[in-house]
Amino acid sequence: MVQPLPHVREIPPYVPGRPPEARPGLTTYKLSSNENPYPPLPGVLGTATQAAEAMNRYPDMGCTALYDALSTKLDVSTDRLAAATGSVALIYHLLAAYCGPGDEVVHAWRSFEAYPIAITAAGATGVQVPVTADGRHDLAAMAAAVTERTRVVLLCTPNNPTGPALSHAETAGFVAGVRDDVLVVVDEAYLEFVRMADPVDGLALLRDHPNVVLLRTFSKAYGLAGLRVGYAVAAADVASALRAVALPFGVSSIAQAAAVASLAHEVELLARVDALVGERDRLVAGITAAGWTVPEPQGNFVWFDLGDAAADFAARAADAGLAVRPFAGEGVRVSVGEPEATDRLVEMLEKEPPPA
Ligand SMILES: *Cc1c(COP(=O)(O)O)cnc(C)c1O
């Protein structure tokens, strides 16, 4: 029998957030994948539907309209952009372009579950640095974990699944202390949800440090998770490498059109993000009033650090009609969704004692 390369067998499985189980008489809510609960804006859906009429044609491989729109929005030249099928794909592309066997990739843990998958798939070695008790990156420990073999550091801000975001000052300090032949990826999937003093200004970091790579996505704030489109902002040579290793014609015409239309409808979409942030605040207030605590959420999700009680908590949430995302033995991530879902979760918390 032909065998895959040994590291392929080591790739951990991706556990997707499950859809809710039906509960008779109960409206159910999917809070397990950090999706945007709002349906597409009619203008975006109309543009995407129109693009579908050309599905017999390959998409624009150069993503011209999308790069032009992003270039205007971000005030960076188009040669510093690389689009792909979600920002997850850009992580794969980056590792394919810059890492091989024996190379190390430093990242926080628990963090985004795609990291160890992509690192292992690239044949590289992941170096996991535990987050602090309040779910934050331990940047001092991450800096200390960088060795001669390190090619990439992944920073996830806000951190999925624990919630807190890095400040600009601490991130800039970290980048300044890392060798300039190490790529520092700033995964900003939840950028638009951040409401804190001194938030990371990724473009400013990139101006000062060409080894910084910003990863952004249309999946969360812009509500296009099902269409698969994200992008990197980087130095031109890094963006060029990311485009070189990408699968040809990856980002569909529908996704490109919907992304461009979303940028044109940004005011309405960001108003929805504001509403979700308001819902996040309401959820945190309810959690606190019920006597529970969560790390400071800066994305569209909250984290319950529950250890072995994670599976039970998720089962009780399912009984309340809420699909959440348990991480066995660690905790439960709950996305911010519909107001009724917030109320349901808070009611559930009010009925049970918080973990000691
Ligand atoms: C959701 C998410 C992404 C983006 O996913 P795509 O849908 O592939 O764009 C990237 N990083 C983190 C940390 C995420 O949570």
Side-chain angles (χ1 to χ4, degrees), residues 34 85-89 91 112 115 156 160 187 189-190 217 219-220 225 228-230:
N34 292 352
T85 54
S87 55
V88 165
I91 298 167
F112 187 29
Y115 297 159
C156 187
N160 176 7
D187 184 341
Y190 303 94
T217 180
S219 294
K220 310 283 166 48
R228 316 304 304 123
V229 52

Side-chain angles (χ1 to χ4, degrees), residues 60 159 174 180 231 235 283:
D60 170 12
N159 188 49
F174 176 82
D180 60 9
Y231 61 95
L283 175 58

Side-chain angles (χ1 to χ4, degrees), residues 239-324:
S240 166
L242 293 174
R243 288 195 301 262
V245 297
L247 297 182
F249 303 112
V251 184
S252 72
S253 301
I254 303 170
Q256 291 183 38
V260 172
S262 296
L263 293 173
H265 289 83
E266 204 165 36
V267 173
E268 284 156 276
L269 290 169
L270 294 180
R272 289 174 160 192
V273 170
D274 277 340
L276 287 167
V277 169
E279 195 57 27
R280 178 179 78 195
D281 291 345
R282 204 171 72 82
L283 175 58
V284 171
I287 289 169
T288 309
W292 288 64
T293 47
V294 290
E296 182 189 2
Q298 288 288 339
N300 64 344
F301 54 89
V302 294
W303 172 250
F304 295 94
D305 188 352
L306 296 167
D308 290 335
D312 282 350
F313 183 98
R316 284 195 301 283
D319 287 339
L322 307 175
V324 300

